[in-house]
Every structure is written in structure tokens, then in C-alpha cells.
Amino acid sequence: MKEKLKVLLIGAAFSADLHMDGYARMLDKVEIVGIADRDLSRVSALADRYGITGYTPYDSFERAIAEAECDLVDICMPNFLHHEIAMLALDKGRHIVCEKPLATTVEDGEEMIATAKKKGLHIYYAEDWLGSPAMNKALNIINSGKLGKLLYVRARECHNGSHSPFAQKIALCGGGCMIHLGVHPVGFMLAMKNNEWDSVVAMTSGGLNNNLKHTSMEGEDFAAAIMRFKDGTFAVMEGNYVTQGGMEDYIDFYCSEGCLHVDLTFSSALRAFSIPGLEYTVEKADITTGWSNPAVDEKYNLGYVAEIAHFVDCAANDSEARIGLRGVDGLEALKVINKIYQSAKEGVLIKNEK
Ligand SMILES: NC(=O)c1ccc[n+]([C@@H]2O[C@H](COP(=O)([O-])OP(=O)(O)OC[C@H]3O[C@@H](n4cnc5c(N)ncnc54)[C@H](O)[C@@H]3O)[C@@H](O)[C@H]2O)c1
């Protein structure tokens, strides 16, 4: 029998839960050998939630990487730690999964990619939109040509503000809602268009007192970019923290012979009305009273399950991930986000130099 892929999970908070849900669905192929978080109560709570046993808990990622015998290190930690943890794991000869954004700076991201290449290791970039069954169905329909030529895409991820304390400072996060939420539409569009973008222009709310609502947050709470791709397609990509009522992941495709609308968060088969309120409906919905559309299998719908399954298969076969999910795609998304920030700051349209 083929040995199971040994996974060390770094982080035991929100995104670690999203990834663990994926691993827990394929325990015939995967063994969780360790979970690291400085808050050990989160480690045991996460493992218990998914019935994971036989793993080693670590309160330090340095010790976890030094000691755990594993094939894959999965980084679900605050953005500013991605680079440091990735470098330790790559030095140890491990493939890595890295949550978005790849790093907080392009220089750090470039060093990660160069090191992985030098060592013959893979970086898997966790852009969950690309694992979403609805998105993949949408792409199949568009690629079938039955809507005609794709002309324009409007894509956004928006909610009412990050739960993470690390999202408040630019040095820890890399920016505001564009790097934290807009990274999904940007990564998705780049993957769809093979990273072949031509030019971008953007505006953001600017951060702190310039923000629309979150005036203690250093990064912006509203950002939108217009991008033109080399084949002439346009996209508007947006992230904001001023959206109440639950997380919106909307993608609209406008084509010469039709259109297609994707709603990843509210397109549930369920519709409920509750006077006392339900336990949970969708991510970032503060209240659950009255009418709601409770998500049926949120992590599956948002793409985490397929994303993790793809990474497990790739790591087991020592192969590269598909486009959009490779480390280099994470780096391209990070570069574009930096161009978006530059465009907004300088008030200029930026051309792709490549
Ligand atoms: N793909 C998605 O949809 C999605 C959703 C949420 C978060 N994320 C990404 O996942 C990553 C983690 O975000 P999050 O919201 O899960 O968690 P978080 O940022 O709130 O914190 C993660 C965990 O890191 C631990 N931690 C912090 N510093 C540490 C240190 N020095 N040593 C050991 N442990 C430490 C904390 O105890 C916490 O449990 C971020 O990069 C974020 O962008 C992705």
C-alpha cells in the first residue's frame, strides 16, 4: 500500500480550519503528523473538531519544522510570517502550501520562489476560488464558447472587516482589503488569462482617517482596480471591508452572446426564516435572524476541499500545481497587488513591463 502523505499544519485558527476540513475528508491519503500554533488550546480544539489523533502538538513553528518528519508543510499563519516559515520549511526540504497572499513583499515572495526552484521543491499557492465547483463549472461554460467571446469580468470579495488582529497593520498584512480580499479576484483573473495582463489602474480609500469606516486600520478598507488583459478583455476587481450581511463573493462574466453570474456565498439551496436566529448561516454574517440562505457545505463551495485535494495529489506525485495554484502565480498576484497600490497612490495607469 502507498504510504500516506505526511502533513505538518502550521496554524490552528481560521484558515487552518478550512484546510483541515479538506485533509479530514481524505485521511486515506493523508496523515496529519503535527499541528503548530503558539496557542495550544487552538491546536487541540482543531484536532478534536475533525477527529484527528496521533499528531504532535507544537507551540512553536520553528520547533515543529525542525522536528516533524513530513512531506508537506501547510502555512496557515498571519501574512508576515509566510516568508519566514516557508524559508525554514524549504531549507528542511519540504514542499509547502502557502495561504494567500504569498508574502507581504514582492522581494520575500521572490526569495521563496527562487529557493524552492533551487531545491527542486514545490510551493502550492492556496487560491481557493480556483477549487470552487461553481467557478469551475462557470469556466467550462465560458470555454465552451456558448456565451460567445468573453469581454468583461467583474469580480469581488467583500465583507465587513477581517477577524484577524494581524490584518490591522500594513507591516503584518502587506496592505488592507485589496491584499486580503481583492487577492482572490486578482488571482482568479490572472489564472484565467494565463497571467497575460496589459495594464491596470486603481483607487483605494487610503487607510486610517481616509478610510470609509475602519479608521484605525492602517490599510485601505475599499479598493478597486480596472485591468485590461493582453487579449483585450477587461476586468474590474474589488475588495472592501464595508459590506454588511455576510461575505460577498460575486463574479459576473459578460460575453458577446450571453452572460453568467456566480454567487459563491449566498447561492444556497436553502432559504430559512428564524426568529431566535440560526447557529450559523454564512461567513461574516453578524446576525442570523429573519430570512437567510444557510450555506450547505461552505468549505466545499468556496473551493477549499478541491484545493487541498489537488495539493495532496501534487505533493504525493512530486508535481507542480495547475495554473493559479502554483507559487509563481501567488507571486504574480502579489506583484499585481503592488501595482494596484502604486497606481492608487500615484494616480497613474501602470503598464505591464513583461
Ligand atoms: N483563503 C482564504 O479564504 C483565507 C481565509 C482566512 C485567512 N486566510 C489566510 O490565512 C492566514 C492565517 O489567517 P487566519 O485568519 O487563519 O489566522 P490569524 O491571522 O488570525 O492567526 C493565525 C494563528 O497564528 C497564530 N500565531 C500568530 N503568531 C504566531 C507565532 N509567532 N508563532 C506561533 N503561532 C502564531 C495565532 O495564535 C493564530 O492562531 C493569513 O495569511 C490569511 O490571509 C485565507
Side-chain angles (χ1 to χ4, degrees):
M1 208 178 78
K2 206 165 176 242
E3 259 197 48
K4 291 183 182 181
L5 188 84
K6 293 185 170 55
V7 176
L8 170 63
L9 185 57
I10 309 282
F14 191 84
S15 64
D17 184 276
L18 302 171
H19 291 207
M20 186 65 101
D21 180 81
Y23 294 122
R25 298 186 198 214
M26 49 188 320
L27 291 175
D28 55 327
K29 291 187 176 177
V30 169
E31 181 188 349
I32 305 293
V33 296
I35 308 174
D37 197 296
R38 65 180 172 199
D39 182 344
L40 281 175
S41 70
R42 286 188 180 172
V43 171
S44 54
L46 176 66
D48 290 350
R49 251 189 330 275
Y50 291 96
I52 304 296
T53 53
Y55 70 95
T56 305
Y58 296 97
D59 61 5
S60 122
F61 62 78
E62 292 94 337
R63 200 159 61 76
I65 291 169
E67 292 178 9
E69 275 308 318
C70 63
D71 306 298
L72 183 67
V73 172
D74 184 344
I75 306 170
C76 290
M77 293 284 271
N79 302 357
F80 74 101
L81 289 172
H82 292 185
H83 169 258
E84 184 182 344
I85 298 170
M87 295 305 288
L88 288 173
L90 292 170
D91 271 351
K92 193 79 181 159
R94 313 302 190 206
H95 299 304
I96 59 176
V97 170
C98 187
E99 254 304 338
K100 58 78 186 170
L102 187 68
T104 49
T105 67
V106 169
E107 294 69 34
D108 282 354
E110 282 174 337
E111 192 184 13
M112 288 161 66
I113 299 297
T115 306
K117 193 170 172 202
K118 199 165 76 194
K119 291 183 173 282
L121 295 165
H122 296 294
I123 298 181
Y124 301 120
Y125 174 62
E127 177 40 71
D128 56 276
W129 275 26
L130 293 168
S132 152
M135 274 308 220
N136 284 305
K137 177 77 181 176
L139 291 179
N140 285 343
I141 292 174
I142 285 162
N143 293 336
S144 76
K146 299 293 184 196
L147 303 181
K149 185 180 182 314
L150 180 65
L151 305 173
Y152 164 48
V153 183
R154 188 169 53 212
R156 64 185 193 268
E157 178 164 294
C158 311
H159 59 55
N160 59 1
S162 174
H163 58 272
S164 172
F166 305 103
Q168 303 302 313
K169 300 241 176 287
I170 288 177
L172 304 183
C173 186
C177 59
M178 180 46 81
I179 197 164
H180 222 53
L181 304 185
V183 71
H184 293 294
V186 168
F188 170 76
M189 281 310 306
L190 290 173
M192 192 177 183
K193 292 288 166 191
N194 207 15
N195 292 326
E196 288 171 3
W197 64 278
D198 171 74
S199 46
V200 69
V201 65
M203 286 183 89
T204 79
S205 56
L208 295 172
N209 283 332
N210 292 320
N211 273 348
L212 299 176
K213 183 173 171 215
H214 300 268
T215 49
S216 60
M217 202 181 131
E218 285 180 2
E220 74 287 348
D221 63 359
F222 170 85
I226 305 177
M227 178 169 269
R228 186 190 190 117
F229 290 87
K230 292 212 162 134
D231 66 359
T233 311
F234 277 96
V236 169
M237 302 169 294
E238 183 191 338
N240 77 55
Y241 285 144
V242 296
T243 299
Q244 301 293 348
M247 183 165 81
E248 292 180 2
D249 278 3
Y250 291 148
I251 308 95
D252 304 297
F253 299 91
Y254 298 93
C255 308
S256 59
E257 309 289 326
C259 60
L260 178 60
H261 300 282
V262 180
D263 171 358
L264 290 182
T265 40
F266 295 101
S267 55
S268 171
L270 305 187
R271 189 159 138 75
F273 180 84
S274 169
I275 293 171
L278 302 177
E279 264 176 33
Y280 182 84
T281 54
V282 293
E283 184 178 336
K284 304 277 188 310
D286 290 325
I287 56 167
T288 59
T289 50
W291 285 107
S292 63
N293 292 55
V296 177
D297 187 344
E298 192 173 39
K299 291 167 188 140
Y300 175 78
N301 291 334
L302 289 175
Y304 302 106
V305 175
E307 152 199 291
I308 292 296
H310 181 57
F311 294 155
V312 166
D313 283 344
C314 288
N317 295 307
D318 193 11
S319 60
E320 188 60 285
R322 69 181 171 93
I323 187 160
L325 297 170
R326 307 166 303 178
V328 287
D329 301 316
L331 179 59
E332 188 61 22
L334 185 60
K335 285 182 178 172
V336 164
I337 294 215
N338 273 270
K339 300 286 184 201
I340 287 173
Y341 284 143
Q342 186 192 343
S343 167
K345 197 165 163 212
E346 297 174 5
V348 293
L349 178 139
I350 296 186
K351 295 285 283 180
N352 187 358
E353 288 132 18
K354 274 190 272 174

